[in-house]
Amino acid sequence: ALFMGLPLALVSIQILWLNLVTNGIQDIALAFEGGEPGAMARKPRDPNEGIFNRLMIEQTLISGISMAIITIGTWYYLMEKGYEISSARNLILMLMVLMQNIHVFNCRSESNSTFRVSLSRNYLLIGGVLAAQGIHLASLYIPFMQNLLGVSPITFTQWLLLFSLATIVLWVIEIYKFVKRKIGAFS
């Protein structure tokens, strides 16, 4: 945003809140994810390979760049449309919370489609995502949190629009996984 001559999209307290409400709950819930069917049939990883292998780096870069483009594009649009900075930040924060809550489902499998990984494998994750979204939504209505975070309630239409934008990261990773499967990169 600064390179584009725009104000900061989020202030420090909002970034801390985003990390707290999206990373803590979902990270713990992902630890309870069941093993993937067929995992034992795959060839083992190279013991010299680091934790951050090429696949993980690619997926992290693709999802991170996608989220950045969506967020900065939305921020630019809001600024061009004349939104007050505080209102625009409120929407950007909700967009980021939604993107994180959607992207966590991409993280359940490095190779399988999100739509092929049964939700019943990890009800804790579903509960965690709902709790994180609920906590953030509650913060929009609690006066203390409104003042602390600089947030306010949004309309259902705004939420739906932001949700639609947030799903883009899901589709980008779905396309990435599809292409990798087609070229046999997950064998």
Side-chain angles (χ1 to χ4, degrees):
L2 289 176
F3 291 123
M4 296 172 68
L6 299 172
L8 290 173
L10 296 174
V11 293
S12 56
I13 190 73
Q14 291 170 327
I15 294 169
L16 290 170
W17 174 253
L18 177 65
N19 286 328
L20 178 69
V21 79
T22 60
N23 291 340
I25 298 170
Q26 290 88 332
D27 292 351
I28 292 168
L30 272 176
F32 291 93
E33 188 70 30
E36 288 188 60
M40 296 305 289
R42 288 187 224 136
K43 65 180 183 179
R45 290 174 67 156
D46 181 349
N48 296 321
E49 182 179 73
I51 294 173
F52 295 102
N53 63 7
R54 179 182 173 99
L55 179 61
M56 183 178 285
I57 292 169
E58 284 177 6
Q59 288 184 354
T60 301
L61 285 173
I62 290 169
S63 60
I65 290 168
S66 299
M67 288 182 195
I69 290 169
I70 295 163
T71 303
I72 292 170
T74 304
W75 181 246
Y76 179 81
Y77 173 82
L78 294 172
M79 292 294 96
E80 286 295 307
K81 288 296 181 185
Y83 277 72
E84 287 183 18
I85 291 175
S86 62
S87 296
R89 282 183 177 145
N90 185 40
L91 294 172
I92 291 296
L93 182 58
M94 177 60 79
L95 175 62
M96 293 293 296
V97 169
L98 285 165
M99 276 195 291
Q100 293 290 338
N101 283 330
I102 289 170
H103 180 59
V104 74
F105 291 98
N106 284 332
C107 300
R108 297 179 70 207
S109 173
E110 287 183 327
S111 58
N112 293 325
S113 167
T114 299
F115 303 106
R116 294 201 180 264
V117 179
S118 174
L119 292 175
S120 65
R121 270 190 26 201
N122 194 345
Y123 288 120
L124 190 59
L125 180 64
I126 297 165
V129 167
L130 292 174
Q133 190 63 44
I135 290 167
H136 184 68
L137 286 171
S139 75
L140 303 180
Y141 293 92
I142 300 169
F144 168 74
M145 295 302 288
Q146 288 176 327
N147 293 332
L148 180 68
L149 298 173
V151 295
S152 59
I154 64 171
T155 67
F156 184 68
T157 303
Q158 289 172 320
W159 187 89
L160 279 178
L161 182 60
L162 294 173
F163 181 82
S164 298
L165 285 170
T167 62
I168 293 170
V169 72
L170 175 86
W171 297 112
V172 167
I173 296 299
E174 281 296 307
I175 291 167
Y176 168 82
K177 289 178 182 179
F178 176 79
V179 169
K180 288 293 225 180
R181 281 192 304 274
K182 285 297 177 196
I183 63 172
F186 293 132
S187 303

